[in-house]
Amino acid sequence: MKIGEVRDANRKIVGRTILHFDAVESTNETAKELLESDVEEGLVVWADRQAAGRGRHGRAWASPLGGLYASFILRPKETHAWVLGLLVGMPVVKALRHFGVFGGLKYPNDAVYQNRKIAGILSEGVYRNDVYHVVVGIGVNTNVDLDKLPAEVQPKATTLKREVSLFVANEEFLDYLLNQLDDLYSRYRNTRIEFLLKDYRGQCTTIGKRVSAMIGKDRVIGKAYDIATNGALVIADDQGAKHEFFEGTLEVLK
Ligand code: BTN
């Protein structure tokens, strides 16, 4: 059920309108349903909990009360969708730092603190009436106790509540995050994407690490050393051959 609607005319695109729900199946799905009508770019769907939150690779995203679950609608160039999904990780890390969690970005866009995931992003491209849209969904473990997350997730996850003693209301976190996302999106519209990718490279803690990745059916082990202009993680194997990795299983080796 919708429990509120907030407008902020100071924002350029992202977060000018926020629709607040108590519970939905998935904010990404609600955002997609809203695309059936004529909605503005930057519209945000925010929910206090999700009954069927989704993660990448068809996984579930545990969405208990206390966490932050929000999706927003963008209309970028379709060819930029993947790279934009990477870039969106930067405002998430910035917001976490602002509230005291000094983590980084694991490729492609997981926000991690001490190797434990604290936020995830699910970007989905959809056509509606021949117009390409991207629904970007962000889940942040804000005011959640670790034991409210599934047992198998707990060893590799953390929450803002666990890492900082100060209470941060979701509304405050979302407000700051949307300001950062709005800035990023206007930079995306006004700057060459290569420049933004440079910033991303600087924040991606996977760069420089030894990794194991599944590329198709092949396992590639080597050093992650760059982000290509198409947004792929470039891995140099022990023979020096370069491989591009986008999606799938990526393990950072110790
Ligand atoms: C991941 O697997 O890391 C991505 C997780 C994305 C979760 C968010 S929560 C808000 C939005 N709605 C969803 O169903 N998923 C995304």
Side-chain angles (χ1 to χ4, degrees):
M1 194 178 75
K2 193 170 127 189
I3 53 173
E5 181 164 337
V6 183
R7 287 179 198 278
D8 187 338
N10 291 321
R11 296 199 178 112
K12 292 172 276 298
I13 294 180
V14 182
R16 286 176 64 86
T17 305
I18 304 168
L19 306 182
H20 185 193
F21 294 80
D22 56 354
V24 295
E25 293 287 297
S26 152
T27 53
N28 270 35
E29 292 312 312
T30 306
K32 282 190 217 163
E33 283 160 20
L34 289 167
L35 286 178
E36 300 299 340
S37 53
D38 199 12
V39 290
E40 66 187 39
E41 187 177 24
L43 179 83
V44 177
V45 174
W46 168 34
D48 293 339
R49 59 193 163 87
Q50 303 184 112
R54 293 190 292 109
R56 292 189 295 120
H57 312 301
R59 289 193 277 253
W61 183 260
S63 308
L65 208 59
L68 178 65
Y69 316 105
S71 302
F72 55 96
I73 294 164
L74 299 178
R75 293 191 193 106
K77 280 190 190 161
E78 187 171 0
T79 49
H80 286 168
W82 175 256
V83 169
L84 192 61
L86 301 183
L87 299 177
V88 165
M90 295 196 288
V92 175
V93 167
K94 196 163 178 194
L96 286 163
R97 289 184 178 194
H98 180 77
F99 291 106
V101 177
F102 292 87
L105 269 179
K106 179 185 174 227
Y107 185 87
N109 53 19
D110 288 347
V112 291
Y113 176 68
Q114 295 180 341
N115 284 327
R116 286 164 170 263
K117 184 159 164 174
I118 187 163
I121 298 168
L122 175 67
S123 297
E124 298 180 290
V126 278
Y127 271 98
R128 286 290 181 275
N129 303 322
D130 291 337
V131 180
Y132 183 72
H133 300 77
V134 174
V135 172
V136 183
I138 301 179
V140 189
N141 299 333
T142 45
N143 301 301
V144 178
D145 288 315
L146 202 58
D147 62 12
K148 293 282 180 316
L149 298 179
E152 67 280 10
V153 168
Q154 288 177 25
K156 29 186 194 166
T158 193
T159 77
L160 192 75
K161 186 174 179 184
R162 183 174 183 261
E163 304 300 346
V164 296
S165 46
L166 201 72
F167 173 78
V168 181
N170 279 338
E171 197 175 4
E172 192 186 349
F173 192 96
L174 182 64
D175 184 64
Y176 186 88
L177 176 61
L178 290 175
N179 287 343
Q180 303 309 317
L181 287 165
D182 191 38
D183 283 352
L184 173 89
Y185 195 55
S186 67
R187 282 186 72 206
Y188 159 74
R189 287 160 58 99
N190 296 303
T191 316
R192 283 182 42 201
I193 206 153
E194 293 81 29
F195 296 161
L196 295 171
L197 267 174
K198 269 202 181 125
D199 290 350
Y200 174 88
R201 259 184 217 111
Q203 292 195 22
C204 179
T205 56
T206 312
I207 304 282
K209 301 251 171 70
R210 199 168 162 77
V211 296
S212 167
M214 288 305 293
I215 301 179
K217 289 197 178 78
D218 300 325
R219 177 173 298 284
V220 174
I221 297 182
K223 186 172 175 177
Y225 82 100
D226 197 12
I227 303 292
T229 48
N230 60 6
L233 180 71
V234 187
I235 304 171
D237 68 23
D238 296 339
Q239 284 68 47
K242 292 174 188 167
H243 306 262
E244 289 196 344
F245 171 86
F246 287 95
E247 280 264 44
T249 311
L250 176 75
E251 206 188 325
V252 176
L253 305 172
K254 293 280 171 236

